Amino acid sequence: ATGSHTWRVRAKNGTTYGSWSSTRSFNIVGKPPTPTLASPSNGATIYYGESQTFDWHSASNATIYEIQFDSESAKSTSNTYYSRTYTAVGAHTWKVRAYNPAGWSSWSTSRSFTVTIENPSLLSPKNGATLYANRDCTFSWSSVSGAASYELQFDGSEIIAVSGTSWVLNSSATGSHTWRVRAKNGTTYG
């Protein structure tokens, strides 16, 4: 039975018994309880190429933990956290279980998270800039880790696929205009 116990011993010769030894105590522990996940929260967004730490609360009497992502082989750690960098966009899951020599706990409830790419930062032209008709103007933005391409949009309608981080416009349309860019990796957008 699990819990605190004591033991002692004495010698015997026929019907004669010696004195009891001093008493010693020991504890028997069972399998650790199932760990509780801490962070990231269920449904969290993680950015492509950035290190993410997965944390859980310690399970009493645990000596080792295993963390499993999706259906990958589980990874062992003696810590209550595990860090990794994701380079596969899309939906993923994670779960943890605890171990000691009495055996493995059950797996925790799985949590889901989504790996996505970040939005690029617009570099040039600056917001509110004055451009001139029939003159080349280079629109540029920051590179985004994990982006395979970008989509450039003018005035909320026309979308232009761009493989790099800049595009040259020469337009005769005068007036006030807007532009924005989003990163793309397959069917995932930043």
Side-chain angles (χ1 to χ4, degrees):
T2 60
S4 296
H5 301 278
T6 60
W7 70 283
R8 62 186 181 165
V9 68
R10 67 181 176 177
K12 178 182 176 192
N13 186 343
T15 59
T16 304
Y17 291 90
S19 300
W20 284 104
S21 67
S22 61
T23 301
R24 289 197 175 176
S25 64
F26 62 97
N27 290 312
I28 297 178
V29 296
K31 295 184 222 180
T34 303
T36 303
L37 304 182
S39 68
S41 61
N42 196 40
T45 297
I46 296 172
Y47 289 109
Y48 179 99
E50 290 185 8
S51 180
Q52 174 67 48
T53 300
F54 295 82
D55 296 294
W56 54 92
H57 300 286
S58 64
S60 59
N61 301 310
T63 56
I64 296 175
Y65 297 93
E66 278 191 344
I67 184 168
Q68 185 179 35
F69 296 96
D70 303 321
S71 59
E72 296 175 1
S73 296
K75 312 281 192 267
S76 294
T77 180
S78 58
N79 299 313
T80 57
Y81 61 89
Y82 185 85
S83 297
R84 89 178 269 180
T85 301
Y86 258 92
T87 56
V89 296
H92 300 278
T93 60
W94 70 290
K95 60 185 177 181
V96 175
R97 67 180 180 169
Y99 173 83
N100 70 24
W104 287 100
S105 73
S106 299
W107 284 103
S108 66
T109 300
S110 291
R111 282 194 180 171
S112 64
F113 62 95
T114 301
V115 176
T116 190
I117 50 180
E118 293 190 73
N119 293 323
S121 297
L122 303 180
L123 302 176
S124 177
K126 299 291 183 200
N127 194 35
T130 299
L131 307 179
Y132 296 95
N134 302 312
R135 304 289 295 186
D136 285 351
C137 178
T138 301
F139 289 77
S140 63
W141 50 92
S142 64
S143 176
V144 171
S145 180
S149 63
Y150 300 88
E151 289 187 345
L152 173 62
Q153 185 179 45
F154 289 102
D155 296 327
S157 58
E158 180 184 0
I159 296 176
I160 301 164
V162 181
S163 61
T165 57
S166 66
W167 193 76
V168 176
L169 172 71
N170 187 319
S171 176
S172 60
T174 58
S176 184
H177 300 279
T178 61
W179 70 288
R180 64 184 182 170
V181 177
R182 67 181 177 180
K184 183 177 180 186
N185 182 320
T187 59
T188 301
Y189 295 92

